[in-house]
């Protein structure tokens, strides 16, 4: 056999190298050329708000399961305390290191989508996942016919919790809790005695700003006009301010809050006889105050006329979003789909962990929960699911400044301003904000 010339030998080597490179898919393909090394994993940073310890444990459990079952994707979970979220996120965004996937509440989805902060998911997920959502919840994540988040849960913002034993001691019927504002105030007066206040409810401008959204819309409309061109604060809004003023003037609610709105500690410790809180409240009671559970009653938040088919709460909750600058949208979409829209058991496990104090946005998960023996026997879950959730509305998508203007009006009235004057000042502040920001042009 003749010796191969140097030129032919070089050509053969180069040809072989090209073939190997093509077979390996280049630097992004399966094994690295010639050494059989696996492809480098795609890393997805995933940030979640810090909730209950049981929720943090649930996130860790299922992120680990995802990583075990996905060889080419690694999700890195970071749990961020709520009071540190904004600062940490801004710093990460400024450094170009924002997480690719993170949790976001519904009220911030549309405004952020309008500004390009989130990436639409539709291109990176199976279209079938949207059909599993309840239509009213799907609307929470839509902007210009594109989906900017996938819902994780919904939770009514206002539920009335009451102590049956204290009702009986005050001559009230535990089987007939208050349905109207007047009935609530009457019961609150009778229950306020022996160092126990009648009612825990929102107590400051920030809490009034969002906890009253449902009762605001009980009058048929939001705080601004449908075209976002002006404030829409009518007599119903004045009545709402007057209602809160009465609660504090009558000393039914403590002038100095014993704890924040979302905390059930004062109720659990027997310092208040009734508490208006979110659906999550029953989870806290079941975890931390088991001894009082036999005496806990639950009912819809009272309304002006007692009509339970009108809204008294909004459906808040959380979703997963993809950052607008996500580097790996395909893999991020796969993670979101697997975690929230895949096997129903993942989310059933969450709702079971949360003591059925929150509610599923997916039909398949709801069906699975309804078949769960523990859920079937849960009368509190049944009441909230049947009498509150169906009549609750989405949180407003307009700017927080508008909500805060009305919340501040309630606070001023409690501090001495008349409801009419407080309302007029809120109307002026909202209209000034709308004019200054050309807000009508920003309506989705």
């Amino acid at each position: 056999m003749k010796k191969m010339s140097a030129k032919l030998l070089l050509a053969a080597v180069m040809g072989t190298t090209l073939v190997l490179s093509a077979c390996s898919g280049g630097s992004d393909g399966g094994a690295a050329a010639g050494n059989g090394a696996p492809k480098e994993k795609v890393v997805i940073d995933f940030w979640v708000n810090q909730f209950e310890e049981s929720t943090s444990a649930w996130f860790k459990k299922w992120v680990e399961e995802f990583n075990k079952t996905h060889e080419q994707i690694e999700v890195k979970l970071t749990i961020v305390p709520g009071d540190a979220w904004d600062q940490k996120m801004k710093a990460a965004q400024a450094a170009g290191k924002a997480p690719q996937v993170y949790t976001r509440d519904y009220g911030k989805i549309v405004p952020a989508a309008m500004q390009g902060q989130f990436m639409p998911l539709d291109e990176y997920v199976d279209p079938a996942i949207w059909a599993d959502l309840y239509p009213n919840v799907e609307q929470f994540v839509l902007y210009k016919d594109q989906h900017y988040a996938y819902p994780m849960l919904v939770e009514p913002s206002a539920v009335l919790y009451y102590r049956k034993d204290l009702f009986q001691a005050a001559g009230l019927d535990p089987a007939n809790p208050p349905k109207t504002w007047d009935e609530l105030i009457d019961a609150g007066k009778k229950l306020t005695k022996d160092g126990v206040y009648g009612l825990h409810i929102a107590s400051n401008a920030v809490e009034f700003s969002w906890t009253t959204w449902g009762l605001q819309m009980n009058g048929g409309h939001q705080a601004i006009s449908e075209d976002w061109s002006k404030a829409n604060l009518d007599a119903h809004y004045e009545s709402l301010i007057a209602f809160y003023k009465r609660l504090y003037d009558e000393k039914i609610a403590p002038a100095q809050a014993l704890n924040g709105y979302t905390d059930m500690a004062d109720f659990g410790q027997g310092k208040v006889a009734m508490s208006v809180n979110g659906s999550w409240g029953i989870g806290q009671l079941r975890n931390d105050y088991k001894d009082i559970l036999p005496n806990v009653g639950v009912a819809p938040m009272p309304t002006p006329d007692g009509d339970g088919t009108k809204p008294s709460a909004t459906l808040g909750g959380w979703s997963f979003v993809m950052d607008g600058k996500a580097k790996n949208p395909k893999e991020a979409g796969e993670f979101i789909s697997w975690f929230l829209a895949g096997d129903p058991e993942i989310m059933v496990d969450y709702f079971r962990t949360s003591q059925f104090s929150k509610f599923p946005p997916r039909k398949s998960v709801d069906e699975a929960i309804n078949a769960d023996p523990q859920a079937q026997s849960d009368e509190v879950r049944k009441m909230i699911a049947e009498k509150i959730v169906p009549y609750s509305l989405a949180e407003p998508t307009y700017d927080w400044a508008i909500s805060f203007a009305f919340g501040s009006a309630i606070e001023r009235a409690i501090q001495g301003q008349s409801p009419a004057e407080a309302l007029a000042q809120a109307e002026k502040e909202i209209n000034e904000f709308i004019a200054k920001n050309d807000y009508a042009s920003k309506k989705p």
Side-chain angles (χ1 to χ4, degrees):
M1 185 172 173
K2 292 184 179 179
K3 264 182 152 183
M4 187 180 289
S5 71
K7 183 183 270 189
L8 285 174
L9 180 60
L10 177 62
V13 170
M14 289 181 65
T16 303
T17 301
L18 288 171
V19 170
L20 286 173
S21 176
C23 290
S24 69
S27 60
D28 292 329
N35 61 14
K39 176 186 174 182
E40 186 176 348
K41 286 187 176 182
V42 171
V43 176
I44 303 293
D45 284 320
F46 173 44
W47 288 12
V48 304
N49 290 75
Q50 185 175 39
F51 300 106
E52 306 90 344
E53 289 184 12
S54 58
T55 299
S56 294
W58 174 79
F59 273 118
K60 291 174 183 176
K61 170 185 174 179
W62 289 103
V63 166
E64 287 176 4
E65 184 64 24
F66 178 87
N67 287 335
K68 288 177 186 176
T69 56
H70 292 74
E71 294 182 358
Q72 300 303 328
I73 307 173
E74 180 182 0
V75 174
K76 291 188 175 180
L77 173 67
T78 301
I79 297 173
V80 183
D83 56 358
W85 181 275
D86 288 342
Q87 182 179 359
K88 187 174 177 67
M89 180 62 77
K90 287 177 182 176
Q93 289 171 335
K97 297 180 179 180
Q100 296 191 59
V101 178
Y102 46 97
T103 50
R104 190 79 288 186
D105 54 301
Y106 296 128
K108 295 183 175 69
I109 292 172
V110 171
M114 291 168 63
Q115 297 173 16
Q117 294 177 11
F118 301 154
M119 190 177 294
L121 302 180
D122 302 81
E123 182 181 346
Y124 307 105
V125 300
D126 185 341
I129 69 173
W130 309 113
D132 195 26
L133 291 174
Y134 284 113
N136 64 321
V137 183
E138 183 183 7
Q139 297 304 311
F140 298 177
V141 301
L142 276 172
Y143 173 61
K144 291 188 175 179
D145 297 324
Q146 290 187 298
H147 299 86
Y148 281 84
Y150 198 86
M152 174 180 167
L153 61 95
V154 293
E155 47 189 353
S157 59
V159 177
L160 178 66
Y161 301 86
Y162 62 96
R163 287 282 296 267
K164 297 177 184 178
D165 53 339
L166 297 181
F167 263 54
Q168 287 177 327
L172 298 168
D173 182 3
N176 188 28
K179 295 181 177 62
T180 69
W181 287 351
D182 287 338
E183 290 173 357
L184 181 67
I185 290 172
D186 181 63
K189 289 179 181 178
K190 293 175 180 177
L191 292 163
T192 301
K193 58 182 180 180
D194 301 328
V196 176
Y197 286 97
L199 181 68
H200 159 108
I201 201 164
S203 63
N204 57 65
V206 171
E207 292 179 349
F208 296 137
S209 298
W210 66 271
T211 65
T212 64
W213 280 332
L215 287 175
Q216 288 178 41
M217 291 183 274
N218 186 276
H221 60 83
Q222 296 183 347
I224 59 175
S225 59
E226 289 190 12
D227 62 2
W228 289 18
S229 66
K230 61 181 179 180
N232 192 14
L233 305 179
D234 58 12
H236 169 73
Y237 278 79
E238 185 175 341
S239 297
L240 181 54
I241 295 174
F243 164 63
Y244 275 85
K245 182 175 175 61
R246 286 179 66 193
L247 292 175
Y248 283 91
D249 285 351
E250 298 281 0
K251 303 188 187 309
I252 295 167
Q256 191 70 33
L258 303 177
N259 45 249
Y261 176 85
T262 60
D263 191 349
M264 293 287 284
D266 53 359
F267 183 84
Q269 295 165 5
K271 296 177 181 178
V272 296
M274 298 184 291
S275 178
V276 176
N277 216 308
S279 63
W280 56 82
I282 192 61
Q284 183 181 357
L285 295 179
R286 287 172 172 170
N287 285 322
D288 300 338
Y289 303 100
K290 295 181 176 67
D291 57 319
I292 71 165
L293 288 175
N295 283 314
V296 175
V298 182
M301 170 67 187
T303 60
D305 58 4
D307 184 349
T309 65
K310 294 178 182 178
S312 61
T314 47
L315 288 178
W318 296 87
S319 66
F320 288 11
V321 299
M322 190 190 303
D323 189 73
K325 297 180 180 178
K327 297 177 181 178
N328 306 102
K330 179 178 177 293
E331 290 80 6
E334 183 175 346
F335 169 64
I336 292 173
S337 294
W338 182 92
F339 207 109
L340 294 186
D343 184 354
E345 178 54 33
I346 298 174
M347 293 311 303
V348 171
D349 184 46
Y350 169 75
F351 292 110
R352 193 182 295 119
T353 298
S354 67
Q355 301 278 359
F356 299 111
S357 61
K358 308 170 199 300
F359 298 83
R362 288 173 57 194
K363 302 168 192 173
S364 60
V365 175
D366 212 6
E367 291 169 2
I369 290 175
N370 289 332
D372 185 287
Q374 185 180 346
Q376 287 176 344
S377 62
D378 190 334
E379 292 300 321
V380 173
R381 178 186 181 276
K382 182 178 180 183
M383 191 286 299
I384 296 175
E386 294 180 357
K387 295 187 178 181
I388 299 179
V389 173
Y391 309 112
S392 298
L393 301 176
E395 297 175 350
T397 57
Y398 49 67
D399 195 278
W400 172 253
I402 293 167
S403 296
F404 188 68
F406 184 72
S408 298
I410 298 177
E411 183 177 78
R412 289 194 303 274
I414 290 170
Q415 294 172 348
Q417 195 173 28
S418 75
E421 291 172 335
L423 188 75
Q425 183 173 335
E427 183 175 42
K428 180 174 181 292
E429 291 172 357
I430 291 172
N431 283 331
E432 287 176 349
F433 174 85
I434 289 173
K436 180 180 179 180
N437 294 279
D438 186 24
Y439 208 59
S441 68
K442 295 179 171 60
K443 186 181 187 303

